Amino acid sequence: MLNSHQSGPKAAKRSTASQPKNSEFSVSEFIAFVEKIGYGVEDLDRLNVIHIAGTKGKGSTCAFAGSILQQVDSPRRLKVGMLTSPHLIEARERIRINGKPIAKHLFAKYFNEVYERLTSDIPPLRKVLPSSPSLPGYGRFMCLMSIHAFLSEGVDVAIMEVGLGGQYDSTNAVRKPVVCGIASLGLDHQSILGSTIDSIAWHKAGIIKDSVPAFTVPQEDAAMHVIRSRAAERNAPLSVAEPLPAG
């Protein structure tokens, strides 16, 4: 059933061609799905999100952050949720708790609960546009599942990897992450994000939020200029994480 939400290459190409190149309504549409499954955007604030964008190294950054948090010396071990993509073998690899893919019975439970809520007539889905989809695609569905799972499991922090870009990605429904990070940038998804590094940087830096600390690795000058500008627009303190010394 989950695979029915994932488009093949031809379908994905048709879908991309039929939508605006950069859909300013994408996040609003995702928030409508969040509401449909019984949550509000304010519930996402409870997840203490670490939000990671980038072209290369964002998955590794998520893994490192998760590992570090699990070693925190506190009265009790932190419960760390993580959303990443793609998966290698099973879809449940995308949703992890304390570094391990969510258990099969929990994956089935949360999948069914989210699917039933999405397909129920009550409450009706708030349509952002007349053309807005009635059901989420694969990536959106997995993001919804992760939110439902993390809130249900009571995670202390959720590390969320951007699926594509940043500005219009589903994960950008999070309004108040605790920190944002941008991994190494390069030319990717140019048909959607643009063909220049500064255009791509604009999308990736779209995850930066008002007054929320942000980190980036060193970037090309054009990309760094855009990241600094977007951070300044949002009064977000920006730090550059220099590479660790070799050896």
Side-chain angles (χ1 to χ4, degrees):
M1 188 183 295
L2 179 59
N3 286 336
S4 67
H5 291 265
Q6 187 167 24
S7 300
K10 291 182 179 179
K13 186 175 182 179
R14 287 196 302 270
S15 176
T16 300
S18 67
Q19 296 182 16
K21 186 175 182 180
N22 297 317
S23 178
E24 62 189 276
F25 303 105
S26 296
V27 174
S28 295
E29 288 177 342
F30 182 76
I31 291 172
F33 286 128
V34 171
E35 295 167 351
K36 176 69 174 168
I37 67 170
Y39 299 108
V41 288
E42 65 277 4
D43 291 308
L44 308 185
D45 299 339
R46 296 192 281 121
L47 291 174
N48 296 316
V49 171
I50 296 175
H51 203 184
I52 306 294
T55 304
K56 296 175 288 186
K58 57 182 177 173
S60 299
T61 301
C62 291
F64 276 120
S67 179
I68 291 168
L69 287 170
Q70 289 175 64
Q71 306 305 317
V72 170
D73 186 13
S74 62
R76 65 175 181 83
R77 186 182 181 189
L78 293 177
K79 196 170 190 178
V80 181
M82 188 185 304
L83 170 69
T84 59
S85 62
H87 60 272
L88 295 178
I89 300 173
E90 296 183 69
R92 65 190 183 94
E93 295 169 13
R94 297 182 180 222
I95 303 174
R96 295 174 179 263
I97 294 180
N98 289 340
K100 297 181 179 179
I102 191 169
K104 289 183 178 180
H105 72 281
L106 289 177
F107 185 90
K109 168 183 167 65
Y110 295 134
F111 170 87
N112 286 324
E113 289 174 352
V114 169
Y115 187 79
E116 287 173 2
R117 295 178 190 185
L118 287 171
T119 55
S120 172
D121 293 331
I122 302 174
L125 175 68
R126 176 174 60 83
K127 285 278 192 146
V128 177
L129 298 171
S131 60
S132 294
S134 298
L135 286 173
Y138 193 95
R140 280 178 167 180
F141 190 95
M142 293 301 295
C143 192
L144 288 167
M145 262 192 72
S146 74
I147 290 168
H148 182 45
F150 295 156
L151 288 169
S152 299
E153 293 294 310
V155 301
D156 297 297
V157 58
I159 302 167
M160 302 188 79
E161 177 188 2
V162 169
L164 191 156
Q167 177 71 44
Y168 303 127
D169 188 70
S170 296
T171 59
N172 217 26
V174 176
R175 305 174 307 172
K176 298 178 181 179
V178 295
V179 66
C180 299
I182 301 175
S184 180
L185 299 184
L187 299 178
D188 66 331
H189 301 290
Q190 294 179 59
S191 63
I192 299 172
L193 305 181
S195 59
T196 62
I197 192 67
D198 51 330
S199 173
I200 289 170
W202 185 88
H203 281 275
K204 308 288 186 178
I207 68 168
I208 297 175
K209 301 297 189 299
D210 292 343
S211 303
V212 173
F215 291 83
T216 179
V217 299
Q219 310 283 0
E220 293 182 27
D221 289 345
M224 187 63 77
H225 175 74
V226 173
I227 294 170
R228 290 190 187 280
S229 295
R230 299 214 74 184
E233 289 169 2
R234 295 172 181 176
N235 197 31
L238 177 68
S239 301
V240 178
E242 298 292 344
L244 295 173

